[in-house]
Amino acid sequence: MRIDILTLFPEMCERVLDESMIGQARKRELVDIRCHNIRDYTDDKHRRVDDYPYGGGQGMLLKAEPIARCFDAIARQQEQRPLFIYMSPQGEVFRQSIACELSQMPGICILCGHYEGVDQRLLDEYIDRQLSIGDYVLTGGELAALTITDAVTRLLPGVLSEDKSFEDESHYNGLLEYPQYTRPAVWRGREVPEVLTSGHQGKIEQWKREQSLEVTRRLRPDMLDK
Ligand code: ADE
């Protein structure tokens, strides 16, 4: 899968994406992630990406043309047009099912917003989907784009050590994950639940399911309503 990120801060994105499991996935060529500096697609000597809003108002807006040029260049490099995504607090709130959906696509291209926003005509012309990572406002879309890139990349085949290891985790099946324990069997007087050391696989599976339900009921009752 290919993921392109359009940003004013490509080094910031690269730093994050070169670490840990995503960095490993890139090295192993399980995903092709490319960060693009919107400023490289300007045509004036000041490399200007923003301007004042028509009609007045607070702050500056990202101009349409540099972003459009960058989108076009990215699209030309691929057989199939990627899904163009705009990160914005106004977007649909990101969740695991969207991560799964995006991970099935050949390519996604994520625009990070900045300043007070982007010229609406650019959004109307290109954007397929607006996504938010939650009901709060960040200084820019980079952390949001990185969040999505991480959540999508870890679902790609081969990225996790075992292909099935996300099937047990929180949100995969609409429930939170059951509690887990490792050695020692007793730590500061706290014992591992007996069933987990019983060797009885059927009982262990049943316990995990009950605990998942219980944890979800306690921490995120809204998930059970759905
Ligand atoms: N840009 C600023 N805030 C954001 C948010 N909550 N989600 C996505 N992009 C954003």
Side-chain angles (χ1 to χ4, degrees):
M1 177 178 188
R2 178 163 157 174
I3 304 177
D4 291 273
I5 301 175
L6 278 71
T7 167
L8 295 176
F9 302 99
E11 290 92 4
M12 167 187 170
C13 297
E14 288 288 358
R15 281 288 290 272
V16 173
L17 297 168
D18 263 345
E19 295 286 339
S20 189
M21 304 210 36
I22 308 302
Q24 287 297 320
R26 292 177 86 183
K27 277 195 199 92
R28 291 162 60 210
E29 298 186 11
L30 299 172
V31 63
D32 179 3
I33 304 176
R34 306 185 195 190
C35 303
H36 309 267
N37 191 341
I38 299 167
R39 232 175 260 290
D40 293 342
Y41 295 84
T42 51
D43 61 358
D44 68 309
K45 67 174 184 217
H46 301 295
R47 307 218 305 155
R48 188 154 179 197
V49 290
D50 61 331
D51 213 329
Y52 294 98
Y54 278 114
Q58 282 239 314
M60 307 287 271
L61 295 180
L62 285 173
K63 290 156 71 70
E65 187 57 20
I67 299 169
R69 282 204 199 114
C70 187
F71 275 162
D72 290 343
I74 290 165
R76 274 198 300 273
Q77 294 164 2
Q78 295 171 70
E79 248 169 61
Q80 231 179 303
R81 181 186 181 278
L83 187 84
F84 289 111
I85 298 171
Y86 174 48
M87 298 315 307
S88 148
Q90 296 186 13
E92 182 186 1
V93 178
F94 188 61
R95 54 183 188 280
Q96 189 64 22
S97 60
I98 300 179
C100 293
E101 216 181 295
L102 298 181
S103 72
Q104 306 296 315
M105 304 198 158
I108 61 172
C109 181
I110 312 174
L111 171 63
C112 303
H114 250 276
Y115 307 117
E116 297 307 315
V118 181
D119 190 313
Q120 183 62 39
R121 292 167 296 181
L122 181 280
L123 303 180
D124 295 342
E125 177 92 3
Y126 283 91
I127 297 301
D128 302 306
R129 197 154 184 181
Q130 290 203 31
L131 292 176
S132 161
I133 57 163
D135 292 338
Y136 41 81
V137 182
L138 303 167
T139 54
E142 280 73 15
L143 293 173
L146 292 169
T147 299
I148 282 170
T149 302
D150 186 293
V152 169
T153 300
R154 65 190 289 287
L155 295 176
L156 298 176
V159 173
L160 297 186
S161 48
E162 215 186 301
D163 257 358
K164 281 190 176 301
S165 53
F166 49 74
E167 289 181 8
D168 271 347
E169 70 195 12
S170 293
H171 296 289
Y172 183 79
N173 53 10
L175 294 177
L176 297 180
E177 201 177 7
Y178 49 83
Q180 299 187 88
Y181 303 85
T182 184
R183 287 192 292 180
V186 184
W187 179 75
R188 295 194 180 176
R190 295 168 187 263
E191 286 174 22
V192 170
E194 214 178 312
V195 60
L196 295 179
T197 52
S198 68
H200 194 301
Q201 211 47 45
K203 281 189 183 151
I204 292 174
E205 289 310 320
Q206 191 191 341
W207 179 88
K208 287 179 175 177
R209 172 88 190 151
E210 285 165 4
Q211 288 293 314
S212 265
L213 278 165
E214 174 50 30
V215 171
T216 311
R217 189 160 25 238
R218 189 155 38 85
L219 301 179
R220 289 288 306 274
D222 57 297
M223 286 173 66
L224 290 180
D225 296 342
K226 286 177 198 152

